[in-house]
Amino acid sequence: MKMTEASQYKAAFKLFDADIFTENKIVEIVKGATELNIPIFRANWKAVASVNGGLHDPSVLVFNPEWGGKENKHHGKFEYPSEHGVKRPENEEDIAYMTVLELGQLIRSKQITSMELTEIFLKRLKRYNPVLEAVVTYTEELAYKQAKKADELLASGEYLGPLHGIPYGLKDIIAVPGYKTTWGSKTFKEQQFDTEAWVYKRLKAAGAVLVAKLVTGSLAYDDIWFGGRTRNPWNIEEFTTGSSAGPAACTSAGLVPFAIGSETAGSMTYPAARCGVTAIRPTFGTVGRTGVMSISESLDKLGPFCRSAKDCAVILDIIRGKDPDDLSSREIPLKDPFSVDITKLTVGYLDDAEMEVVHVLASKGVNMVPYELNYTVERVQGILNFTMDVDMLAHFDEWQRDGKDDEYEAQDQWPVELRRARMVPAVDYIQAQRARGKLVKEIREGFTVDAFIGNVTDWEKVCMGNLVGLPVMVVPTGLTNIWQPHSDDTNRRTSVTTGIYAPPSRDHIALALTMAYQSVTDHHKQRPPIDDLGPGDSIPNPPLVEIPARRFYL
């Protein structure tokens, strides 16, 4: 396109109140709109706009993923299993890789204090962060204050539950007073909020100890942030992918027992799979989002990264519930996953499912059947992109108009997408929501099993699952040698995972199936080789760091 043509387009942009771009940017926008937007417009028109009157395929602009049917009553708290006979290991490394329930038993039986546990995890965070680039802010002062309170409460006979005194990390799109909430972006790296995010309130009330704000990709996109790019503990030459980069990497490396991340489109599933940790992307609306940076009100979800499915169940139980300031949050009627009789379940498996999971669950009495996902809606990724990008632009309109997108850490990401989003007409945004409604209907009608197993990072499934609001467990199923290894003897590995998908508000089924699988396998217990990468591999010499009352060369 010649610049004279770009000048003509600029005049047209004025009709959208969007004559804010340089001619070079206009060339880029027109190219993207021609190649990407128009085919999506046409597919959505074909799907939902052939009948006048709007009586069919209503918009899901106000999104509720419930599939109807018999109304379920809200169920009480889960009955957590007891971890009897847990003994404190002599080695701090072994302590760091214990589950939340195991650590909780150590604290409750007074074999370890929350102050000691907090110190162990702060040491590990400071030791490995120079390699992983996974921490934005250490909340050290707050952590020791919360740990001290937890120990004092226990000494007085008050026990708050399985998270009493347990350290954890939050993705840095979640606001905590007194600390920066940077959104991973140099544009916002100094901002602070007085707001306590709802999920932080829930964890604080349960006695958990916040030790760090962990990396989010800039404005919750991918793993690039203003301080660098977060690495995968299983292979430090590889990056985490997905914006919940810090929570995934830190949980994988034993730097926190659990962490809270978020997903709009793959930001939990991708880094969890890459880093080999167990995670649940819950049903949309399960966890309140007050105090959390928003991309899309109808897609954003919060969930935990953990050592095991048991831990995921515990954390989800504590953070779920109706947030009065989040219109999309609801009292999701989850049953207790620890009491599900899996032998009464029929579970499908797709062609790309990890068959070890299928065989293990079949051996435990689950009725396993071949399954296919069938729907007619085309360009599912396009529907998601329209929804996410337009909503995101609405939240960062001023940012774009002020030219702050020129400062963004990865110019081929949000800047390009949000400039293109400026050219999505309202009618086509609504048509995309109607097409999304049709997709929800078709998935609901074709969901003839209690759950299904399939690839968790297949992009079509990521887009479909997020649009429909399906919960999914990310399940580690093994390790393979890395592609093109650094040396023949390297210990670096590639994590292999699968997904267990359930209908909306049936998260307990996915949790129960994952717990059953993990009860007889140990893939989720493996530790990445950060200290022993193998001959010819090394990590940078870690710096001297200060820990209260002690000094360590790490």
Side-chain angles (χ1 to χ4, degrees):
M1 182 190 303
K2 297 179 181 179
M3 285 303 169
T4 53
E5 293 180 70
S7 299
Q8 294 172 354
Y9 277 111
K10 189 175 181 69
F13 277 34
K14 191 172 183 178
L15 298 176
F16 292 90
D17 192 25
D19 54 335
I20 58 177
F21 304 112
T22 65
E23 290 190 349
N24 284 333
K25 290 178 181 176
I26 288 175
V27 170
E28 170 195 273
I29 292 168
V30 171
K31 182 175 185 292
T34 302
E35 295 178 354
L36 299 172
N37 288 13
I38 290 175
I40 299 168
F41 292 165
R42 291 173 177 170
N44 291 338
W45 295 335
K46 180 181 177 182
V48 296
S50 59
V51 178
N52 294 324
L55 299 178
H56 305 284
D57 308 314
S59 168
V60 292
L61 202 58
V62 179
F63 184 54
N64 183 334
E66 276 296 333
W67 284 357
K70 185 178 179 181
E71 188 68 23
N72 289 296
K73 294 182 179 179
H74 175 62
H75 295 270
K77 289 293 181 183
F78 302 162
E79 292 292 332
Y80 312 133
S82 299
E83 298 287 342
H84 296 300
V86 177
K87 299 297 182 183
R88 174 176 176 166
E90 295 182 5
N91 190 311
E92 288 188 355
E93 176 92 1
D94 294 334
I95 293 174
Y97 280 98
M98 296 179 81
T99 67
V100 165
L101 288 173
E102 290 168 340
L103 292 172
Q105 182 58 30
L106 289 186
I107 286 179
R108 190 172 191 180
S109 61
K110 299 183 179 178
Q111 297 180 60
I112 197 169
T113 66
S114 180
M115 289 286 282
E116 289 177 289
L117 206 53
T118 298
E119 183 177 41
I120 287 171
F121 284 106
L122 279 169
K123 282 163 53 181
R124 290 182 64 81
L125 283 162
K126 293 187 176 185
R127 175 175 186 173
Y128 294 110
N129 190 54
V131 178
L132 297 179
E133 299 181 22
V135 179
V136 181
T137 304
Y138 299 100
T139 56
E140 198 163 347
E141 182 179 352
L142 175 64
Y144 281 117
K145 179 180 177 181
Q146 292 181 336
K148 184 173 183 288
K149 180 180 179 181
D151 290 337
E152 290 172 347
L153 285 174
L154 190 61
S156 69
E158 186 174 354
Y159 181 65
L160 300 177
L163 295 191
H164 188 120
I166 304 295
Y168 73 101
L170 287 176
K171 183 176 180 179
D172 198 35
I173 61 170
I174 301 171
V176 176
Y179 292 92
K180 296 174 183 177
T181 302
T182 71
W183 300 342
S185 169
K186 58 187 174 185
T187 306
F188 302 100
K189 69 178 183 179
E190 300 300 327
Q191 76 178 351
Q192 291 192 36
F193 299 102
D194 293 332
T195 304
E196 280 192 335
W198 191 84
V199 69
Y200 170 68
K201 287 182 182 179
R202 299 286 280 193
L203 291 166
K204 184 173 71 169
V209 174
L210 179 65
V211 291
K213 302 290 291 298
L214 305 178
V215 164
T216 171
S218 184
L219 302 185
Y221 193 130
D222 204 20
D223 52 21
I224 301 171
W225 62 294
F226 68 83
R229 192 172 185 187
T230 304
R231 296 180 180 275
N232 174 15
W234 280 103
N235 179 5
I236 61 169
E237 288 186 338
E238 184 177 68
F239 301 107
T240 57
T241 78
S243 71
S244 295
C250 288
T251 304
S252 174
L255 312 190
V256 288
F258 75 94
I260 303 299
S262 69
E263 171 152 328
T264 306
S267 286
M268 289 190 67
T269 49
Y270 274 93
R274 175 66 63 87
C275 297
V277 295
T278 307
I280 182 169
R281 182 192 76 204
T283 296
F284 175 82
T286 302
V287 183
R289 301 168 304 181
T290 298
V292 180
M293 191 204 96
S294 177
I295 291 179
S296 171
E297 287 95 337
S298 70
L299 289 170
D300 298 341
K301 297 160 289 294
L302 298 173
F305 293 82
C306 298
R307 299 258 175 278
S308 68
K310 284 184 180 179
D311 283 0
C312 284
V314 171
I315 307 305
L316 185 62
D317 190 30
I318 287 168
I319 64 177
R320 67 190 173 112
K322 173 64 179 174
D323 172 359
D325 296 317
D326 178 358
L327 297 179
S328 295
S329 78
R330 296 172 297 121
E331 292 284 0
I332 304 293
L334 297 184
K335 296 181 181 178
D336 185 348
F338 297 105
S339 63
V340 171
D341 183 355
I342 62 171
T343 64
K344 294 182 179 179
L345 300 178
T346 296
V347 175
Y349 57 92
L350 306 182
D351 290 341
D352 58 8
E354 286 296 322
M355 292 307 294
E356 183 195 64
V357 182
V358 175
H359 297 320
V360 167
L361 292 178
S363 73
K364 295 183 78 68
V366 180
N367 180 31
M368 304 299 301
V369 297
Y371 181 69
E372 291 184 4
L373 277 170
N374 294 309
Y375 49 87
T376 66
V377 175
E378 300 176 17
R379 294 189 178 271
V380 170
Q381 178 182 345
I383 297 170
L384 184 138
N385 283 348
F386 271 23
T387 305
M388 176 177 68
D389 292 353
V390 171
D391 290 358
M392 179 68 173
L393 181 57
H395 298 137
F396 286 90
D397 191 4
E398 184 179 24
W399 175 78
Q400 186 187 74
R401 289 178 180 275
D402 286 347
K404 299 295 186 183
D405 55 345
D406 288 332
E407 302 173 4
Y408 188 77
E409 286 73 8
Q411 282 295 304
D412 60 341
Q413 296 180 355
W414 277 137
V416 171
E417 288 195 32
L418 298 189
R419 290 167 196 155
R420 189 169 66 242
R422 181 69 67 176
M423 302 307 295
V424 176
V427 63
D428 290 296
Y429 178 85
I430 296 299
Q431 301 295 28
Q433 302 317 305
R434 295 178 68 201
R436 182 181 178 185
K438 184 172 185 177
L439 176 68
V440 171
K441 179 183 177 182
E442 291 182 349
I443 294 294
R444 180 182 70 238
E445 291 173 349
F447 214 113
T448 56
V449 290
D450 294 299
F452 70 83
I453 301 171
N455 188 309
V456 77
T457 57
D458 173 71
W459 186 235
E460 178 76 7
K461 292 187 192 65
V462 169
C463 294
M464 179 279 297
N466 278 289
L467 286 169
V468 175
L470 301 182
V472 62
M473 290 292 306
V474 182
V475 187
T477 60
L479 298 164
T480 62
N481 292 332
I482 65 172
W483 183 66
Q484 292 184 338
H486 190 268
S487 72
D488 291 339
D489 298 319
T490 184
N491 290 325
R492 297 179 187 182
R493 293 291 181 268
T494 295
S495 177
V496 181
T497 56
T498 200
I500 299 182
Y501 299 77
S505 301
R506 299 296 183 270
D507 309 50
H508 56 280
I509 293 176
L511 284 162
L513 291 167
T514 309
M515 287 190 284
Y517 171 71
Q518 291 184 342
S519 70
V520 293
T521 59
D522 64 356
H523 302 305
H524 61 294
K525 297 179 181 179
Q526 302 307 305
R527 304 178 187 181
I530 321 180
D531 283 319
D532 184 21
L533 297 173
D537 277 341
S538 64
I539 59 175
N541 291 324
L544 176 71
V545 298
E546 294 285 349
I547 300 289
R550 299 184 186 178
R551 175 172 288 180
F552 297 87
Y553 285 91
L554 302 176

